[in-house]
C-alpha cells in the first residue's frame, strides 16, 4: 500500500504561501478557506494555516552538516531532484544548505538541499538514483 502523509503548518500570509508553494515549487493548490490552504506537495498533502510558525535551529548533525530542526521534505528520484534544484537556483532562492551530493559512493548516497519557505518552515529535498537507496545500509 502506498501511503500519503499529511502535514499542517503555520504561515502568516496565504497569498505568499500560494506564490511560494504553488508558483515556485509547482505544487497544485487544493481546497482552501480564508484561514488555510492545501497543496499537493509532491503527492502528499500539506495544509497551511494562518498562525505563528515554529522556528527551526541548526541542531541536527548529519554527516558534516548541521541541519535545521525541525524540518520536513520529500524524496525525489535523481532527475526530478535535479530539475527542481535547477529551477530553485535560477529563481535565486536562498538555500540554508545549497544543492549537493551527500554520502558519495556509500549506501544511501543522495543529493540534498535545504531552504525555508517565506515563513521560516525548513524544507529538505533529497534525490536518490533509485528508491531502494532510501533505506540502504
Amino acid at each position: 500500500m502506498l501511503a500519503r502523509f499529511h502535514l499542517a503548518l503555520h504561515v502568516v500570509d496565504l497569498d505568499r504561501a500560494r506564490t511560494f508553494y504553488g508558483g515556485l515549487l509547482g505544487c497544485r493548490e487544493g481546497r482552501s478557506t480564508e484561514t488555510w490552504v492545501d497543496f499537493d506537495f509532491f503527492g502528499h498533502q500539506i495544509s497551511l494555516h494562518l498562525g505563528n510558525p515554529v522556528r527551526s535551529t541548526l541542531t541536527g548533525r548529519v554527516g558534516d552538516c548541521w541541519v535545521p530542526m525541525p524540518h520536513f521534505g520529500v524524496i525525489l528520484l535523481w532527475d526530478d531532484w535535479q530539475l527542481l534544484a535547477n529551477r530553485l537556483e535560477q529563481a535565486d532562492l536562498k538555500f540554508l544548505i545549497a544543492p549537493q551530493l551527500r554520502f558519495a559512493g556509500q549506501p544511501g548516497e543522495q543529493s540534498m538541499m535545504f531552504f525555508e519557505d517565506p515563513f521560516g518552515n525548513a524544507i529538505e529535498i533529497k534525490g536518490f538514483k533509485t528508491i531502494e537507496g532510501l533505506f540502504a545500509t
Side-chain angles (χ1 to χ4, degrees), residues 54-90:
V54 172
R55 293 293 166 207
S56 296
T57 58
L58 295 176
T59 57
R61 181 149 178 118
V62 180
D64 294 333
C65 293
W66 287 98
V67 301
M69 299 298 291
H71 66 266
F72 74 100
V74 68
I75 292 103
L76 301 175
L77 289 177
W78 205 264
D79 291 342
D80 294 329
W81 181 91
Q82 190 61 62
L83 287 171
L84 180 59
N86 291 344
R87 184 166 76 233
L88 299 178
E89 288 174 326
Q90 290 172 1

Side-chain angles (χ1 to χ4, degrees), residues 76-112:
L76 301 175
L77 289 177
W78 205 264
D79 291 342
D80 294 329
W81 181 91
Q82 190 61 62
L83 287 171
L84 180 59
N86 291 344
R87 184 166 76 233
L88 299 178
E89 288 174 326
Q90 290 172 1
D92 291 324
L93 180 71
K94 179 184 173 196
F95 291 96
L96 298 173
I97 300 174
Q100 60 188 264
L101 182 66
R102 178 165 58 183
F103 309 126
Q106 301 176 45
E109 178 181 79
Q110 60 191 262
S111 295
M112 63 88 156

Side-chain angles (χ1 to χ4, degrees), residues 10 16 20 25 27 41 49 61 68 83 85 101-103 105 112 119 128 137:
H10 278 144
R16 284 176 58 206
F20 182 81
L25 296 184
C27 300
F41 185 76
H49 293 256
R61 181 149 178 118
L83 287 171
L101 182 66
R102 178 165 58 183
F103 309 126
M112 63 88 156
F119 318 102
F128 285 86
T137 59

